[in-house]
């Protein structure tokens, strides 16, 4: 493989080593260099499979600088693999800046399919999976978390977050505050490992369930939130927006009548909503 100068994006297991693909092992063994988040962590994986390829650390703090080293090696005709500590690189892991710079330098980036905690959790959650939004980790500070959750309160797609054991109880408390105690939430922890757990419940019940046993808040976590469902009598956001815009040029009564015709809703409901909002 060394004759093909390319950067290979190689997913690694999120827990169960048997989940590594044959292609991933072939690439890791054949490339000239493996760029990894933590050389010691990846070293254990490589040792397990008897792979002796040289490694280079590429993490959040040195990624931009390391990119130049990697581009130079690609320019010399070398092939390089990028791995993270677990799962698919770049998905809430380093690699974005490296891939961008490698592509801009004109080299090929070859993605391999493989493990990803977000999609692994979603397919077993029992939540809508035709549309979903992966949000990575929520902010570390409470106010920022609340602001983020508030902005996502009416998101019509399933929401997927990564969460840490030390913050999950606080996050659920804030989720209850922002989205209500009845919003369905599914927690997946220790995926593919011995103590894999996938548990879904209304947010308040889930938090109580976690509090009953400290073991339930240990390990790597994926938190999934059911999509927002608008009340049946709720007015479409587009109709409200149209009414608001028309009110800049017309009286509310006329604006609501026109918006009702455009969007096929009741003009009285729009008129009432406009009065409540001070249009």
């Amino acid at each position: 493989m060394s004759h093909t100068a390319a950067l290979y994006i190689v997913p690694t297991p999120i827990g169960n080593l048997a989940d590594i693909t044959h292609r991933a092992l072939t690439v890791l063994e054949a490339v000239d260099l493996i760029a990894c988040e933590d050389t010691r962590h990846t070293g254990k994986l490589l040792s397990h499979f008897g792979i002796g390829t040289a490694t280079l650390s590429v993490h959040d703090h040195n990624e931009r600088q390391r990119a130049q080293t990697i581009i130079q090696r690609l320019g010399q005709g070398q092939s390089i693999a990028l791995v993270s500590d677990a799962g698919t690189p770049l998905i809430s892991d380093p690699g974005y800046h490296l891939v961008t710079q490698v592509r801009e330098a004109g080299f090929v980036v070859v993605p391999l399919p493989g493990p990803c905690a977000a999609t692994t959790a979603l397919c077993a959650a029992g939540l809508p999976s035709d549309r979903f939004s992966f949000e990575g980790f929520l902010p570390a500070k409470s106010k920022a978390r609340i602001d983020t959750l508030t902005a996502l309160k009416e998101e019509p797609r399933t929401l997927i977050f990564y969460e840490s054991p030390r913050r999950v109880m606080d996050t659920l408390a804030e989720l209850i505050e922002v989205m209500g105690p009845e919003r369905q939430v599914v927690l997946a922890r220790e995926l593919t490992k011995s103590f894999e757990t996938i548990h879904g419940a209304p947010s308040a019940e889930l938090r109580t369930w976690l509090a009953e046993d400290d073991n339930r808040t240990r390990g790597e976590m994926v938190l999934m939130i059911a999509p927002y469902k608008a009340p049946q009598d709720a007015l479409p956001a587009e109709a409200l927006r149209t009414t608001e815009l028309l009110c800049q040029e017309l009286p509310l009564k006329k604006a609501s009548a026109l918006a009702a015709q455009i969007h096929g809703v009741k003009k009285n409901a729009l008129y009432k909503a406009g009065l409540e909002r001070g249009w």
Side-chain angles (χ1 to χ4, degrees):
M1 190 174 292
S2 58
H3 65 280
T4 304
L7 176 67
Y8 293 83
I9 311 301
V10 183
T12 55
I14 58 177
N16 190 324
L17 292 180
D19 290 333
I20 199 162
T21 67
H22 178 74
R23 186 182 176 198
L25 291 174
T26 300
V27 169
L28 293 175
E29 193 165 27
V31 293
D32 298 290
L33 180 71
I34 299 172
C36 46
E37 197 173 353
D38 185 329
T39 54
R40 292 166 299 179
H41 186 93
T42 299
K44 294 176 183 177
L45 176 74
L46 299 178
S47 176
H48 178 84
F49 289 106
I51 297 171
T53 307
T55 59
L56 176 74
S57 67
V58 177
H59 48 70
D60 283 329
H61 302 294
N62 71 359
E63 183 182 347
R64 294 172 190 266
Q65 293 75 27
R66 286 285 201 236
Q68 294 309 308
T69 300
I70 289 171
I71 289 169
Q72 286 175 2
R73 293 203 178 205
L74 290 169
Q76 296 165 4
Q78 294 186 16
S79 56
I80 299 172
L82 174 67
V83 302
S84 61
D85 285 348
T88 300
L90 281 79
I91 309 301
S92 273
D93 277 325
Y96 162 70
H97 298 292
L98 172 61
V99 168
T100 300
Q101 290 186 50
V102 167
R103 286 178 57 85
E104 287 176 349
F107 294 102
V108 175
V109 177
V110 181
L112 275 64
C116 175
T119 52
T120 301
L122 178 62
C123 68
L127 296 175
S129 57
D130 55 334
R131 298 178 69 224
F132 58 91
S133 177
F134 174 66
E135 299 291 332
F137 284 93
L138 281 161
K141 295 186 177 180
S142 178
K143 184 183 183 303
R145 279 200 303 274
I146 290 173
D147 289 345
T148 299
L149 290 170
T150 300
L152 294 168
K153 180 179 180 180
E154 296 185 1
E155 171 58 55
R157 297 170 292 180
T158 295
L159 294 167
I160 305 175
F161 300 93
Y162 287 161
E163 190 52 274
S164 69
R166 68 180 182 275
R167 285 204 303 258
V168 67
M169 294 298 283
D170 289 339
T171 294
L172 280 170
E174 291 152 357
L175 196 156
I176 292 165
E177 176 187 337
V178 172
M179 299 188 185
E182 296 302 319
R183 182 72 72 95
Q184 185 74 10
V185 181
V186 178
L187 175 73
R189 56 177 289 274
E190 294 293 84
L191 288 170
T192 78
K193 301 176 187 177
S194 299
F195 296 101
E196 175 179 283
T197 305
I198 302 172
H199 186 81
S203 56
E205 291 181 23
L206 180 63
R207 193 171 188 275
T208 299
W209 180 80
L210 287 176
E212 291 171 352
D213 186 345
D214 288 343
N215 289 318
R216 294 172 180 170
T217 58
R218 292 179 180 173
E220 302 290 332
M221 296 181 173
V222 182
L223 202 63
M224 294 162 286
I225 304 173
Y228 171 75
K229 289 184 179 180
Q232 289 187 343
D233 59 349
L235 288 166
E238 296 85 355
L240 291 170
R241 177 66 177 150
T242 300
T243 306
E244 183 181 12
L245 289 172
L246 289 172
C247 280
Q248 295 176 12
E249 302 293 336
L250 300 168
L252 174 58
K253 189 172 183 179
K254 183 66 174 176
S256 56
L258 285 172
Q261 284 186 318
I262 294 169
H263 295 282
V265 298
K266 294 181 179 179
K267 63 181 180 182
N268 289 342
L270 283 176
Y271 182 75
K272 181 181 177 182
L275 288 175
E276 292 172 351
R277 289 164 171 77
W279 295 341

